[in-house]
Amino acid sequence: MRAARSLPFGAGDPVVPPLVQSVAFAHGSAAEQDAIFANERPGYVYGRYGSPTTAALESALAELDAADGAVCFATGMAAIHAYFTGCALAAGGRVVAQEDPYGATRALLERLAREQAADVVFVDPTDASAVARALEERPTRVLYVESISNPLLRVTDVAALASLAHARGAKLAVDATFASPMLTRPRELGADVVIHSLTKYVNGHGDAMGGSVAGAGDVVAEMRERAIIDGGYLPPHEAWLILRGLRTLELRVRRQCETALAVARHLAAHPKVGRVHYPGLPSHPQHELASRQFGGAYGGVVSFALKSDTREAAFRFLDALEVVASATTLGDLYSEILYPAMSSHRRMDLAERARLGISDGFLRVSCGIEDPEDLVADLDRALELT
Ligand SMILES: Cc1ncc(COP(=O)(O)O)c(C=O)c1O
């Protein structure tokens, strides 16, 4: 895992409490305001154009993501939408995307393809020759992947995909939400653009939503323009909460990864569990890659299927849990469980869901910072009822 020294904040952090921060008044003389509007000098003229607190979060993220800059949006999906419409698919761009990204990302791409004739194809990102073939079919602007996929926890080889994309004139964009900047910095491995749902690990307290796009200057300029004209910019109060979360990112993620590894090992040996997906287990198909790419940590999420792989067993299991909260989100201080067949993958074609392995008894646990023994005891008690 990444060292704490690289977390970009300190006592001099220029965070302005949001309540004393005006978003309505332009500052400085008319000539100074004119220069700010013209992007000739830094400054703030209106909340949607930028605010000191959101700017502080953006500069911290730009440093964490090793980027020229970052732009923050109201949610992860707002960031992803801004990137696809503003950069990747703008003016006839073509996207080759991971076949199993976060459900709303796939739904967004399918919708853009259906309603706006966007050129999008889906591919298995762990199959290098399939990715190469897809990139070669037609000129492609962006290859889009998640560094750890949701909810199957497949791991993508960022360095290899970056070379593959660049050799064919495409950029690589990585949604690094699950890995967080603590496990990987995709731009240091060759990726061009890094996207986060800040709602998850970066904030980590389950009390604010946000998203970010980080990259080179041209991407940042386009994302800034999208935030201004589409209106999805992250408001200062949320940025303030997310900056608060960022301060403990390293501590939280370290603990969550240790707990997740213990939970994954325990579940893998449990007679009521059919299969476990966790990059830290030697049985995971990309275990060796994950060890190399993530520096010895494997993320805080564990997915597994019940041996009794049915909806009834899953319901009994979910209803019996006391420590693990039923929640659609992940990456928070407390442990959370998601039942994809009921929620995120409810609308997915049944055959496609089965092909991917998201069966009726498939569950996703996001480990919190509780005592790991409490967590394991809670899971064990509920498993007895399946
Ligand atoms: C990998 C990934 N990317 C993006 C998102 C969307 O983020 P948000 O819910 O903040 O819009 C999610 C949400 O779960 C996610 O898991």
Side-chain angles (χ1 to χ4, degrees), residues 70-309:
V71 178
C72 287
F73 293 85
T75 64
M77 283 317 300
I80 292 168
H81 181 268
Y83 178 65
F84 283 140
T85 53
C87 291
L89 292 167
R94 175 173 193 259
V95 167
V96 171
Q98 171 153 4
E99 64 184 353
D100 60 333
Y102 172 55
T105 302
R106 174 138 183 165
L108 170 65
L109 285 170
E110 284 174 347
R111 210 172 164 137
L112 289 170
R114 204 169 54 241
E115 293 176 356
Q116 296 177 29
D119 191 351
V120 180
V121 293
F122 295 101
V123 71
D124 174 354
T126 63
D127 180 345
S129 44
V131 175
R133 272 197 310 280
L135 289 171
E136 283 159 11
E137 264 168 24
R138 283 187 296 285
T140 301
R141 188 175 298 152
V142 170
L143 172 61
Y144 186 87
V145 299
E146 293 177 357
S147 47
I148 302 179
S149 71
N150 176 10
L152 291 162
L153 310 185
R154 292 209 270 179
V155 177
T156 47
D157 189 337
V158 174
L161 291 175
S163 313
L164 210 73
H166 294 162
R168 288 156 185 84
K171 305 274 190 207
L172 176 67
V174 178
D175 178 334
T177 299
F178 268 50
S180 88
M182 291 298 102
L183 264 60
T184 184
R185 313 249 163 106
R187 276 180 53 91
E188 290 176 356
L189 298 173
D192 301 278
V193 171
V194 182
I195 292 175
H196 297 287
S197 164
L198 304 171
T199 314
K200 316 296 175 194
Y201 287 102
V202 175
N203 177 49
H205 290 66
D207 54 9
M209 299 191 82
S212 60
V213 180
D218 57 334
V219 172
V220 174
E222 185 56 40
M223 291 300 93
R224 181 80 55 211
E225 176 76 358
R226 289 285 149 177
I228 292 172
I229 62 175
D230 292 348
Y233 195 55
L234 184 73
H237 189 255
E238 277 66 23
W240 187 59
L241 286 168
I242 295 168
L243 270 166
R244 173 279 325 256
L246 189 58
R247 290 189 171 85
T248 55
L249 180 66
E250 200 256 351
L251 286 174
R252 288 184 283 106
V253 171
R254 184 180 294 280
R255 166 79 169 212
Q256 287 161 324
C257 290
E258 286 165 7
T259 300
L261 183 58
V263 166
R265 285 180 176 150
H266 182 81
L267 292 176
H270 201 290
K272 299 264 186 177
V273 172
R275 81 195 125 89
V276 178
H277 298 238
Y278 187 65
L281 296 180
S283 58
H284 188 282
Q286 292 95 38
H287 174 63
E288 186 274 325
L289 163 66
S291 302
R292 190 162 26 93
Q293 189 162 270
F294 301 147
Y298 300 94
V301 178
V302 181
S303 296
F304 64 99
L306 298 171
K307 174 98 20 96
S308 169
D309 203 351

